[in-house]
Amino acid sequence: EAELEKCSEIKVGYKRIDCEKPLKKAITLYKYQTNAQKFEIGPITYYWFGVGSEGNRFEISPTGQAILSIRMLAENTSSEITSMHCTSPSICRYDVWDGTKAFKYSGMDFTSGEIVLNPADSREFNILFGPNIGYGGTEFKFDPSKTYYFRINENFGSMNIPLELK
């Protein structure tokens, strides 16, 4: 963070951004590595702070629509380039599962349907579950009697992460 402070002294905008960007990324990775839950799946380590943390919320809207936002960080711990895939709601390797039904996303920030990570690279990503947007999506419905999981089902491995929605 001290190095980041030095970047603010740079007067030229793009040079200051070039100075700040890798430092901010390193700080974000450090915060996830030291404070978040860790899930190792093949070459990717996923970090998640859980529902109720910044970027991770669950609520029922005034109209009764359940809305779940998930923000995670993925780090490539291998020596190979690795891709995470989510091209559309119907073709996405990430969903929410209630034991009987898979809920597809309403919004996400996978650029062009995938996140490509170079070795030792990391990236924070967001996925929203809520109203159906079409294209193979589903409306997220909440039943307090069920247990919900964020499912990852990539070619390199899979895992069900308990969500603890209340």
Side-chain angles (χ1 to χ4, degrees):
E1 290 188 7
E3 289 180 48
L4 186 60
E5 194 65 34
K6 290 178 186 175
C7 294
S8 65
E9 298 170 7
I10 299 171
K11 302 297 180 209
V12 179
Y14 71 89
K15 288 184 180 180
R16 183 176 54 253
I17 290 169
D18 286 347
C19 176
E20 293 173 345
K21 190 174 180 180
L23 295 172
K24 286 180 178 179
K25 190 171 185 173
I27 290 167
T28 298
L29 177 61
Y30 176 77
K31 286 179 180 177
Y32 272 96
Q33 288 176 329
T34 57
N35 299 309
Q37 297 172 55
K38 180 179 179 178
F39 305 95
E40 295 178 16
I41 307 170
I44 302 290
T45 300
Y46 295 86
Y47 297 94
W48 187 53
F49 288 111
V51 173
S53 62
E54 184 179 337
N56 294 282
R57 77 175 204 284
F58 171 69
E59 66 179 291
I60 306 292
S61 75
T63 62
Q65 173 65 59
I67 300 172
L68 172 65
S69 300
I70 294 177
R71 176 178 295 161
M72 295 183 126
L73 183 126
E75 178 186 21
N76 183 354
T77 57
S78 77
S79 59
E80 303 291 325
I81 296 172
T82 304
S83 295
M84 301 161 37
H85 301 279
C86 188
T87 55
S88 72
S90 60
I91 307 170
C92 186
R93 305 220 169 133
Y94 301 82
D95 62 26
V96 170
W97 174 251
D98 72 359
T100 59
K101 182 174 182 164
F103 297 97
K104 304 301 182 181
Y105 74 82
S106 297
M108 55 78 177
D109 59 5
F110 280 59
T111 306
S112 299
E114 67 181 355
I115 294 174
V116 177
L117 294 173
N118 290 321
D121 194 10
S122 63
R123 169 134 175 234
E124 200 172 39
F125 65 94
N126 299 282
I127 299 180
L128 174 73
F129 298 89
N132 183 2
I133 61 164
Y135 310 105
T138 53
E139 181 177 352
F140 181 52
K141 297 187 183 217
F142 178 70
D143 177 345
S145 69
K146 294 185 176 183
T147 302
Y148 291 83
Y149 298 90
F150 181 66
R151 292 194 309 182
I152 299 171
N153 190 24
E154 287 283 2
N155 288 339
F156 51 77
S158 61
M159 181 175 282
N160 292 346
I161 300 171
L163 291 172
E164 300 178 22
L165 305 179
K166 301 291 173 213

